[in-house]
Amino acid sequence: MSTCPACGNASTAKLFEVTADQASRSFVNPRQYPDRSRKLTGHLSLLWGRDTCDIRKCPDCGFGFADPFVAGGAEFYNLAAPHPSYPAMKWEYARTIEELRGLSTAGKTAIDVGAGFGYFLDLIKDNCFHASDIYAVDYNETAQLALQSKGYKTFSGDLREDDFIPMRGAFDIIFMFQVFEHMDRVDDVFARLKYLLKAQGSVFIAVPNEIRTYYMECHESLIDMPPNHIGRWTKEAFDSICRRHGLRLSICEREPFKLLKFLREDIVDSFLRRAEKPGSFCEFVRGLPRSKAQRIGQAVIALALSPLRLPAWTYAVGNRSTLGSALWVKIDKVS
Ligand SMILES: [Zn+2]
């Protein structure tokens, strides 16, 4: 399928392709976990129905997408990232709270799709919403236990399925942070968001900033690898899918660029990219048994290589107004 999933344009262009082996290496080091690495490579070939996956881009709305446009399921995540971690604070959390303060949220209901351990919900509980009005969705069992222990009404399962909270107009506010870029069947997702929202309800979505993604891929840092991330959303792509579903894209902002945060992430990410190359010294060190010495060794090498990043950093500073980490949107239901 090469039709744009965001706007329906049938003419999209191939940017590059990745192999199942290359994708597998980006998630699991084959020296450290040979068995898991082998299973993951085989699983990706099955998922894609071939040994490669293309990355394509729509010339109309700028949406970038994996082709086949198929998301990783439970088996993929169990192999690729069996112990996910979630940062406690993100720019999009603070930006959303700023927006919520301008709305009257007393007595309203909210649901966080892909809530992780509930760090965002902890920030809005008792000051924007009553705890009893907060719902959380996550398929990860450890995350579900954490959410339940905090008193949130917790669901697992797929937002798009008919047995998923079959309540039309159940929620005033829906949050989806760093989730939508993982999802296929995006029209079903938007149809469901509209169904679940009350009249005048809003959805807040944050995804990776696609300009930052292309910066990384063009400057020997990490590839935004399928089937973990399969969609590279743009303002125009959000606008298009909103219009097709009778929703309104009301705000779209990029995370501001913070130099120190950027440098820290760039040093780590460019080291990890080097460590994906079979037979490289970085791959050897990354594949050593996990220990404090191995972690220190990786940090020393990453820092020692950082002067090689100067041309990339010069480019980044020159384009800093576009290179924050996240793209954040507010979408409204208009009746
Ligand atoms: Zn498009």
Side-chain angles (χ1 to χ4, degrees):
M1 185 198 80
S2 58
T3 299
C4 174
C7 77
N9 175 13
S11 168
T12 58
K14 177 173 166 176
L15 298 183
F16 61 94
E17 69 177 31
V18 295
T19 66
D21 179 65
Q22 186 187 359
S24 174
R25 284 173 187 279
S26 81
F27 300 113
V28 177
N29 183 298
R31 290 179 200 271
Q32 210 164 28
Y33 305 105
D35 191 43
R36 193 143 62 81
S37 163
R38 208 166 34 246
K39 283 184 184 158
L40 179 56
T41 308
H43 175 69
L44 293 178
S45 296
L46 272 178
L47 187 74
W48 293 334
R50 58 193 208 214
D51 291 336
T52 59
C53 178
D54 293 347
I55 305 297
R56 304 186 71 88
K57 190 172 183 180
C58 170
D60 280 2
C61 74
F63 185 60
F65 60 99
D67 179 26
F69 190 57
V70 51
E75 189 175 353
F76 166 70
Y77 286 103
N78 283 331
L79 290 166
H83 306 292
S85 64
Y86 308 97
M89 193 56 198
K90 293 177 176 175
W91 168 78
E92 54 264 36
Y93 295 173
R95 182 64 189 85
T96 302
I97 289 167
E98 183 189 332
E99 203 62 27
L100 290 173
R101 293 216 169 102
L103 306 170
S104 107
T105 53
K108 293 196 170 171
T109 51
I111 184 164
D112 190 355
V113 179
F117 294 153
Y119 294 139
F120 173 69
L121 295 177
D122 296 345
L123 297 172
I124 60 168
K125 181 175 72 172
D126 299 332
N127 65 56
C128 297
F129 299 90
H130 295 297
S132 60
D133 294 328
I134 295 178
Y135 297 72
V137 185
D138 208 289
Y139 71 87
N140 181 280
E141 285 179 15
T142 313
Q144 281 175 36
L145 291 175
L147 292 163
Q148 282 163 5
S149 75
K150 292 176 175 180
Y152 304 125
K153 297 187 191 76
T154 306
F155 300 91
S156 62
D158 190 325
L159 176 81
R160 297 163 292 199
E161 300 306 324
D162 284 341
D163 58 355
F164 178 89
I165 321 180
M167 296 183 284
R168 181 183 290 274
F171 301 104
D172 294 285
I173 309 279
I174 300 175
F175 307 108
M176 284 178 45
F177 298 133
Q178 309 296 339
V179 168
F180 193 43
E181 69 275 18
H182 297 255
M183 300 176 97
D184 55 17
R185 293 167 54 203
V186 291
D187 275 317
D188 292 348
V189 175
F190 261 63
R192 197 67 180 171
L193 292 175
K194 188 176 181 185
Y195 172 88
L196 289 172
L197 275 182
K198 285 186 184 163
Q200 319 301 328
S202 298
V203 188
F204 293 94
I205 297 178
V207 294
N209 171 11
E210 88 286 0
I211 300 178
R212 174 72 169 262
T213 298
Y214 293 120
Y215 156 80
M216 291 170 71
E217 291 177 345
C218 292
H219 291 88
E220 295 176 14
S221 184
L222 289 173
I223 294 174
D224 199 33
M225 195 64 85
N228 181 36
H229 291 177
I230 58 168
R232 300 161 179 218
W233 290 90
T234 64
K235 179 184 178 185
E236 292 73 20
F238 273 121
D239 192 44
S240 178
I241 196 166
C242 283
R243 283 171 193 276
R244 290 196 295 103
H245 288 273
L247 295 165
R248 183 178 62 209
L249 176 64
S250 58
I251 315 179
C252 179
E253 291 177 14
R254 282 183 216 286
E255 178 175 356
F257 180 84
K258 295 267 170 51
L259 183 62
L260 283 179
K261 177 174 180 269
F262 169 83
L263 293 176
R264 202 168 53 233
E265 291 169 354
D266 193 80
I267 288 171
V268 172
D269 292 345
S270 58
F271 168 78
L272 291 174
R273 176 69 188 277
R274 284 175 176 273
E276 291 172 11
K277 291 195 181 97
S280 68
F281 181 61
C282 294
E283 193 219 20
F284 171 76
V285 174
R286 182 142 182 81
L288 292 172
R290 291 170 82 99
S291 66
K292 194 175 175 187
Q294 184 245 7
R295 282 201 304 278
I296 292 171
Q298 289 187 85
V300 168
I301 295 166
L303 280 173
L305 291 169
S306 62
L308 297 173
R309 301 297 297 158
L310 278 173
W313 294 347
T314 305
Y315 173 88
V317 168
N319 293 273
R320 60 189 173 278
S321 64
T322 60
L323 286 175
S325 297
L327 184 73
W328 174 88
V329 296
K330 176 172 182 275
I331 292 166
D332 296 325
K333 184 167 179 176
V334 280
S335 40

